[in-house]
Amino acid sequence: MSRTRTALLAAMALVAGATGTAFAAIPGDVGAAAVPCTVDYKVQNQWSTGFTASVTVTNNGAAKSSWAVKWSYAGNQKVTSGWNAKVTQSGADVTAANESYNGTLATGGSATFGFQGSYSGTNAIPATFTLDGVTCNVDSGGPTDPPDPTDPPPTGNRVDNPYSGAKVYVNPEWSAKAAAEPGGSRIANQPTGVWLDRTAAINGVNGGMGLRDHLDEALRQKGSGELVVQLVIYNLPGRDCAALASNGELGPTEIDKYKTQYIDPIKAILADPKYASLRIVTTVEIDSLPNLVTNVSPRPTATPNCDVMKANGNYVKGVGYALNKLGDVPNVYNYVDAGHHGWLGWDDNFGASAEMFKQAATAEGATVADVHGFIANTANYSALKEDHFSVDQTVAGKSVRESKWVSWNRYVDELSYAQALRQKLVSLGFDSKIGMLIDTSRNGWGGTARPTGPGATTSVDTYVDGGRYDRRFNTGNWCNQKGAGLGERPKASPEPGIDAYVWMKPPGESDGASKAIDNDEGKGFDRMCDPTYTGNPRNDNNMSGALPDAPISGHWFSAQFQELMKNAYPPLS
């Protein structure tokens, strides 16, 4: 993604009006009439046959309840999809009209919309724009424009897959804990995510490494080759509204603190030219946006906290702001959390969640061009690929979808879900080159309980239950699962549409405490982490399946680490 620089062309626009003729003034000419409108047209991302662009129109005239921006292309550009406006094209002429939710344009107010297009040859910026028939001055990224002092120097275009041909950063703090465990040296050199789960983590907690420390160490590990650093951006206001174990430090309304005290400092560090040679992958706000689909009224799984976060919009605003700011850094690759198949794979969740991702990706100045991809199964346990059954099978007169385990889901594993979701997101206007990540840190399900073939065909339930790798009581179980194992080792480009298998959740770090533990991290006690809990509607009232004696989320849990190694698949040597 590249950003054009901004400049206001000095040419004056002639505007015909009912009471005579008015001239748009050059800014700073206080004796002249005000500029009626300005347009900022930016090509955000460009490749050999296509591009995405963001357009911001500012109205300096009378307030409007609806609007339409028009321009014409000199070349062969064709608009293929748009967002935050109804974008249509006839020949070379393009019209972008407001949507129902953004028609109001106050005096001095702005509206931003975007689109994806195709081209061949050159992709010149249009010379003239109108707002409701009035010619605007154009903020077109001209050559006289000074660079934005907050932006890092350009380092070239992002690569299609940041993991391709690159090593991935090994967090020395996690590595030391893993190596200290019996048998842990077998995996202590694996790359894992660095979690920035509170503001203090930016500078380091309790003498530990801060963000700059990790990036400096990444430069050392990089050497002369390419290296990916994986960061988890995880501190939204009202975080994790459907659970208590990973609640955060910010209250539901503290969106300004999130922006100015959390995201802005992270961006400032990532934008330091010292780190321009690193490929920085961000996993943006796990578990947030899916909650606004599945855990809000009138769903039976609704929680009051999630209703609050949907009503105040701060999840959408926060994710949009993070994507916008971090996406400005040329060597940052944003991947948005996309839940997992056992959460969003049902018909009434799948499409609605994709639409929610699009809404957040076009909020707070962000565009779909700020999203490099999505990540599935972050910190979860859903099996990568179920080999012994599929949704298109029928057993004992019933579809596999009717089994208690599948429960009418369209997907039975993460690979099929991630690939299908990618296609859905592209259809909604995301770049056709977006890639998916799958967190395989704890979804191996190996060991002696791993089935070697399908179950008995006595009934659809015996068939599925006897053959499934995922041994949880229910796919809604998420906390410190008994019997789980390390999954596929981190790997680039393992399957079509998949940028990498990653260990974004560091194995051995707890999901949450199995009983209430006082702490200063804002993390509560969630009964889903209690091994005696008999469940709720979100897991169909099954037992929690959690391991006992767990510490609070993010803290080292030796028993879990040993369980993951014992049940690793592929097995550890």
Side-chain angles (χ1 to χ4, degrees), residues 342-362:
W343 187 357
L344 303 182
W346 284 270
D347 293 341
D348 54 352
N349 296 345
F350 188 81
S353 296
E355 294 281 358
M356 180 63 69
F357 300 150
K358 176 72 173 293
Q359 182 184 347
T362 53

Side-chain angles (χ1 to χ4, degrees), residues 108-240:
S110 298
T112 298
F113 58 91
F115 62 92
Q116 182 167 316
S118 63
Y119 79 101
S120 62
T122 59
N123 184 23
I125 293 174
T128 304
F129 293 80
T130 64
L131 173 62
D132 295 338
V134 175
T135 303
C136 301
N137 280 1
V138 182
D139 188 357
S140 66
T144 61
D145 182 33
D148 183 342
T150 66
D151 284 345
T155 59
N157 293 329
R158 292 176 174 87
V159 296
D160 180 48
N161 180 357
Y163 290 86
S164 180
K167 298 185 295 184
V168 186
Y169 175 63
V170 177
N171 179 349
E173 293 185 311
W174 175 82
S175 182
K177 293 175 183 176
E181 292 279 343
S185 60
R186 294 174 294 175
I187 62 166
N189 64 343
Q190 292 291 348
T192 55
V194 174
W195 286 55
L196 302 174
D197 62 353
R198 45 187 155 151
T199 302
I202 299 171
N203 294 319
V205 179
N206 298 326
M209 297 173 70
L211 179 54
R212 282 193 180 275
D213 298 319
H214 285 293
L215 297 177
D216 289 340
E217 170 64 14
L219 289 174
R220 188 194 68 77
Q221 292 184 20
K222 176 181 182 297
S224 59
E226 299 292 344
L227 185 132
V228 172
V229 180
Q230 302 175 127
L231 306 177
V232 178
I233 307 301
Y234 187 47
N235 198 32
L236 275 177
R239 189 179 74 192
D240 215 350

